[in-house]
Amino acid sequence: MRHDFYLAWQYLRHYRWRSLTLLVCVSLIGILPLLLNEVLTQGERLMLQRAKTTPWLIGARGSTADTTLAALYFRDTAPPVAYGEINRVEQSGWATALPIHARYRIHQIPLLGITADYFDFRHLVPALGDLPGFIGDCVLGARAARRLGLGVGDKLVSTPDNFFDLAGLVPLKLHITGVLAATDTVDDEAVYVDLKTVWIMEGLGHGHDSATTRAAPTGSAFTTPETDPASAGAADAVEITPDNLDAFHFHGDMERYPVTAIIVAPHDDRAATLLGGRYVDENLPVRLIQPVEVIRHLMHNIFRISTLFNLVLAGASGAALLALMLVFALSLQLRQGELDTIELLGCDHLTVVRLVMAEILLILLLAAGLGSIFLAYIRHESGILAPVLLDAL
Amino acid sequence: MNPEFSLRYCSMHFESTPAPPITPMLRTVFTLLLVLSNLTTVAADNLQPRLTVVASHYPLAYFAGRIAADHADVHLPMPGGIDPANWRPGSSGIRMLQRADLLLLNGAGYETWLAQTSLSRARQVDTSSGFSDRLIRIEQAITHSHGGSGQHTHTGTAHTTWLDFSQARQQAHAVAAALGRKRPELKSRFEEHLQALDSDLARLDQNLEALSLQYQTLPLMASHPVYQYLARRYRLDLVSVHWEPDEMPPGSEWDALARTLKQHPARLMIWESQPRPEITRRLTQLGVASVVFDPCANRPDQGDFLSVMQRNLQNLKQARESISAVLQK
């Protein structure tokens, strides 16, 4: 038996590219349904986990899914709500309210405008440096720092990614004050600034210093895109420094400034019920959203699609298996001369069958090993599944 | 609870119905149990980490210190000798503000640095929000400078809210409520301390109210526009200039003052601190005496908020007596 496997192994090694192709084919056929199942299960767990830690959201009337995906996973855009809504919640004394502005991306990475309470709420702590202290400061999520290749003390120019934003954004040279410790959630892949910094980028606040007047709205179709994240758009960028910090101010009623959503964390069940009662009026421009319900609904739809997908996959896998069997059969026909030679050398027919079976078994075992390694990697990096899933939506 | 009181209360309760006599042994055991229970409560309270409270000016720090007593470390982020209204946090200041469990703010636009900083909203307490509808808007603001502190403008809202002691009491209540929310188990203790502080502030309010009756017919000048709430609460006829005690005003300011005095014949100018002797002399030549009413926005070199305010009242009383004496002559 040992000799059978030895000869089979030598055969597979001799035809290494053909063997490798077979190995990958068998491996893929085996793991694709498992992988899909794993992605959905882990994705559901991660998405629900995050949704469960976000009791309520206040968002504009419209798609609850858009608001939830924007506020929790920084995907999609949602119609804005007025910042003043936060006062309505805080004055009730029943809940803590956290505004989140998640409309923009910076070098393809979500740019979040938040208040310092967000870091407490999501248990985000700096692994390096400090949290932002002033407008114009930013802190990077662990994965965002890796992707940008930047760290504490570096500067990041906030050239907006959205070329269709007719109003344009004021590019800011952000000071990186810290890098957050990894949490294996979507929080790792964002750049965080104070809410007021985003409002300055939107032109709602500005300075009167000569250094700040160089700002010119970008987003023009004539702008030549630059590739270096640290310097892209730097020529026109405004930098907030200790010298011009005091010159920055805001115009108009700040209560009407836009935010994507407001995360609401009621102090207890009674407070939750009382607060909920204030948002039952359908004539209000805002609504209270329960992210868990929204995500459950979304996942339910995804699972319905996945069942269909599994059926298609089963059909495709069956066809692929038949094709593989055909490949094996044809291969045996091609190797007929070789097999006859083995018999002429004195081996009986059963030995030849054992040799072929050993080859098939080795391929199956190696394919199973390869698939297991891939699945283990996916499980280990489960944090990346939620964004992958969200991007696929 | 006082064990002696409890024991007496229990004895009285037992007297109404026939009960077995309390032996000295039983009494001792009972007392020991009560003492032990008290000690356990005190120990449990002490196990709680002390709150870190940061106040944006001294009166709030004083209120927090009185109310929280040993249960909080109260900090003023700015160095002594500067006006907290003109202070801006640097990198060390911002870290102190960020690490605070409670950030006590005056509100009324006092903390102009809020717009440029990134701080927790949930930990901020706007102590003047309870009377936000009664804040005084400043319509005509003048940008000016004095000394090396750079230019500043008294725009927007008058912010020396605590000089109306009834408002100061409300601010103290807001501080106590915020501390109580942070440490619900110490709420009754904070309430106790608040009562003592509130009595002191109420006494100041009554005394100044009584003293203000002597000022009803007396036009007054103020060296700086920081006494709006004091004037409103105690019905003082007050006109402000923009002078500093350590800086001799230029001739144009003296001319402007002379013109103002024709319309508003003031006999007394209120100062935030003792003005330079040459200023006092020149004012005296114009028939205007000087009196210090320290708003006490930063930590005083001597005494505390209460003693500074009592000294202010004493100063006003003496000044009124001097003016009366001059007028009688």
Side-chain angles (χ1 to χ4, degrees):
Chain A
M1 180 69 88
R2 217 176 68 199
H3 302 298
D4 297 338
F5 278 100
Y6 176 77
L7 287 172
W9 175 245
Q10 291 304 325
Y11 176 80
L12 291 177
R13 273 188 65 187
H14 186 74
Y15 297 102
R16 56 178 63 115
W17 291 114
R18 199 170 68 187
S19 305
L20 198 66
T21 312
L22 266 174
L23 194 75
V24 171
C25 284
V26 174
S27 173
L28 280 177
I29 289 167
I31 66 163
L32 267 179
L34 290 173
L35 188 68
L36 182 70
N37 188 50
E38 185 66 25
V39 166
L40 289 174
T41 311
Q42 293 282 354
E44 186 191 25
R45 186 181 64 78
L46 288 167
M47 289 178 75
L48 275 177
Q49 194 179 40
R50 192 164 176 84
K52 280 175 186 168
T53 56
T54 314
W56 278 344
L57 287 174
I58 291 176
R61 290 209 168 266
S63 166
T64 54
D66 285 353
T67 305
T68 307
L69 293 178
L72 268 66
Y73 311 101
F74 327 135
R75 261 59 184 182
D76 225 328
T77 53
V81 288
Y83 176 65
E85 277 301 323
I86 199 169
N87 291 333
R88 192 170 141 131
V89 177
E90 282 181 348
Q91 279 162 11
S92 73
W94 294 327
T96 305
L98 303 105
I100 182 163
H101 197 313
R103 188 180 168 195
Y104 303 107
R105 290 185 161 247
I106 179 166
H107 308 295
Q108 308 302 321
I109 292 171
L111 174 74
L112 295 192
I114 38 107
T115 59
D117 299 307
Y118 186 84
F119 299 112
D120 292 338
F121 181 70
R122 294 277 185 223
H123 308 292
L124 302 173
V125 289
L128 294 168
D130 293 301
L131 295 176
F134 299 94
I135 50 172
D137 287 350
C138 74
V139 67
L140 307 179
R143 208 172 300 139
R146 278 202 300 274
R147 276 179 65 184
L148 290 166
L150 298 173
V152 180
D154 291 335
K155 287 170 186 173
L156 175 63
V157 178
S158 69
T159 40
D161 292 336
N162 186 358
F163 281 84
F164 299 100
D165 193 336
L166 295 176
L169 287 185
V170 176
L172 271 185
K173 200 182 270 185
L174 300 168
H175 302 204
I176 301 171
T177 60
V179 176
L180 298 173
T183 57
D184 288 333
T185 66
V186 285
D187 287 320
D188 289 348
E189 53 169 50
V191 173
Y192 300 87
V193 293
D194 190 272
L195 189 56
K196 296 185 285 289
T197 305
V198 180
W199 288 338
I200 288 171
M201 288 166 61
E202 288 184 314
L204 295 167
H206 63 102
H208 286 301
D209 176 281
S210 58
T212 64
T213 51
R214 282 185 285 124
T218 59
S220 157
F222 303 106
T223 308
T224 308
E226 295 176 64
T227 49
D228 177 13
S231 63
D236 290 331
V238 172
E239 184 173 3
I240 302 175
T241 65
D243 296 331
N244 66 13
L245 181 69
D246 285 348
F248 279 84
H249 59 279
F250 297 88
H251 288 282
D253 185 2
M254 212 178 252
E255 301 227 331
R256 297 174 71 177
Y257 283 9
V259 293
T260 302
I262 294 164
I263 296 172
V264 179
H267 298 319
D268 51 44
D269 290 344
R270 182 179 163 275
T273 311
L274 289 167
L275 194 64
R278 290 197 174 181
Y279 289 89
V280 289
D281 184 356
E282 292 200 350
N283 294 319
L284 286 173
V286 293
R287 71 197 302 182
L288 209 54
I289 300 163
Q290 275 191 295
V292 173
E293 294 305 314
V294 174
I295 295 299
R296 280 213 176 104
H297 184 70
L298 264 178
M299 294 311 292
H300 179 70
N301 285 340
I302 292 171
F303 272 105
R304 270 204 321 214
I305 295 165
S306 82
T307 311
L308 199 72
F309 194 65
N310 271 333
L311 282 173
V312 174
L313 204 65
S317 298
L321 265 176
L322 285 173
L324 267 178
M325 284 164 72
L326 189 67
V327 168
F328 272 116
L330 287 172
S331 164
L332 285 176
Q333 264 190 10
L334 283 170
R335 291 170 62 192
Q336 195 55 52
E338 176 195 330
L339 298 175
D340 290 343
T341 309
I342 294 171
E343 281 189 35
L344 285 171
L345 284 170
C347 294
D348 58 13
H349 190 68
L350 189 65
T351 307
V352 175
V353 172
R354 271 179 19 214
L355 272 174
V356 173
M357 291 308 289
E359 281 171 25
I360 294 171
L361 201 63
L362 265 180
I363 285 172
L364 288 177
L365 280 172
L366 288 171
L370 188 69
S372 302
I373 290 167
F374 191 60
L375 272 179
Y377 172 76
I378 292 292
R379 283 198 179 119
H380 184 256
E381 294 290 317
S382 57
I384 61 167
L385 288 179
V388 168
L389 198 66
L390 286 161
D391 283 338
L393 279 174
Chain B
M1 191 190 290
N2 181 350
E4 282 301 318
F5 170 79
S6 307
L7 202 60
R8 207 176 306 135
Y9 174 79
C10 292
S11 304
M12 283 164 64
H13 180 71
F14 284 128
E15 271 167 24
S16 59
T17 52
I22 299 171
T23 62
M25 181 67 152
L26 196 63
R27 189 184 288 260
T28 312
V29 169
F30 195 42
T31 309
L32 277 173
L33 278 174
L34 278 169
V35 168
L36 198 66
S37 146
N38 274 359
L39 282 174
T40 317
T41 313
V42 170
D45 287 349
N46 288 340
L47 279 177
Q48 285 278 346
R50 285 157 69 93
L51 284 170
T52 303
V53 179
V54 177
S56 66
H57 59 56
Y58 172 68
L60 287 176
Y62 174 77
F63 298 163
R66 287 272 309 259
I67 296 164
D70 295 334
H71 301 288
D73 293 316
V74 182
H75 301 280
L76 260 184
M78 66 286 301
I82 67 157
D83 185 353
N86 298 331
W87 175 76
R88 296 279 178 280
S91 53
S92 61
I94 201 78
R95 300 295 159 230
M96 183 192 277
L97 296 172
Q98 284 181 327
R99 285 182 192 126
D101 296 314
L102 263 185
L103 184 52
L104 301 176
L105 305 175
N106 185 72
Y110 190 85
E111 296 82 9
T112 50
W113 40 265
L114 271 181
Q116 287 109 26
T117 50
S118 183
L119 295 167
S120 160
R121 264 183 71 103
R123 297 179 200 174
Q124 292 174 26
V125 183
D126 179 353
T127 57
S128 65
S129 63
F131 50 89
S132 58
D133 55 332
R134 289 188 289 116
L135 294 176
I136 298 172
R137 299 287 305 167
I138 302 172
E139 301 301 338
Q140 290 174 325
I142 299 168
T143 300
H144 61 283
S145 65
H146 27 75
S149 63
Q151 288 201 328
H152 67 268
T153 313
H154 295 268
T155 50
T157 310
H159 54 229
T160 331
T161 52
W162 63 93
L163 292 185
D164 170 345
F165 295 123
S166 68
Q167 289 181 171
R169 289 172 69 188
Q170 289 186 58
Q171 291 186 274
H173 279 265
V175 172
L179 286 166
R181 280 195 297 275
K182 279 281 168 192
R183 287 278 185 276
E185 69 280 7
L186 296 170
K187 204 172 173 180
S188 58
R189 202 163 295 181
F190 293 152
E191 285 293 328
E192 248 174 63
H193 299 160
L194 173 67
Q195 291 298 324
L197 173 66
D198 194 54
S199 304
D200 288 340
L201 293 173
R203 204 169 305 120
L204 274 178
D205 189 39
Q206 283 164 13
N207 291 345
L208 192 50
E209 179 83 55
L211 183 62
S212 70
L213 294 174
Q214 299 173 34
Y215 276 92
Q216 294 306 298
T217 54
L218 193 70
L220 296 169
M221 292 297 299
S223 66
H224 220 70
V226 291
Y227 298 105
Q228 297 92 338
Y229 295 102
L230 181 87
R232 183 178 70 180
R233 169 71 179 163
Y234 305 104
R235 297 173 300 281
L236 304 178
D237 185 9
L238 200 69
V239 171
S240 295
V241 287
H242 292 77
W243 291 8
E244 287 298 316
D246 54 353
E247 195 181 332
M248 188 64 175
S252 57
E253 285 291 326
W254 288 103
D255 294 343
L257 176 67
R259 284 196 298 277
T260 306
L261 287 175
K262 280 181 190 162
Q263 306 288 321
H264 182 76
R267 295 252 169 203
L268 190 66
M269 183 179 276
I270 302 175
W271 291 85
E272 294 170 90
S273 63
Q274 192 61 46
R276 282 165 60 171
E278 57 266 38
I279 303 176
T280 317
R281 267 199 303 277
R282 192 154 174 190
L283 278 173
T284 311
Q285 286 165 7
L286 290 170
V288 180
S290 296
V291 64
V292 173
F293 193 104
D294 183 359
C296 200
N298 206 332
R299 198 181 294 280
D301 295 334
Q302 287 179 336
D304 58 20
F305 178 78
L306 214 59
S307 65
V308 170
M309 289 303 148
Q310 280 161 352
R311 199 161 57 232
N312 287 338
L313 262 65
Q314 194 60 33
N315 291 346
L316 280 181
K317 199 174 172 184
Q318 283 171 0
R320 186 66 186 98
E321 283 165 6
S322 305
I323 291 168
S324 299
V326 170
L327 288 175
Q328 276 172 6
K329 277 180 191 170

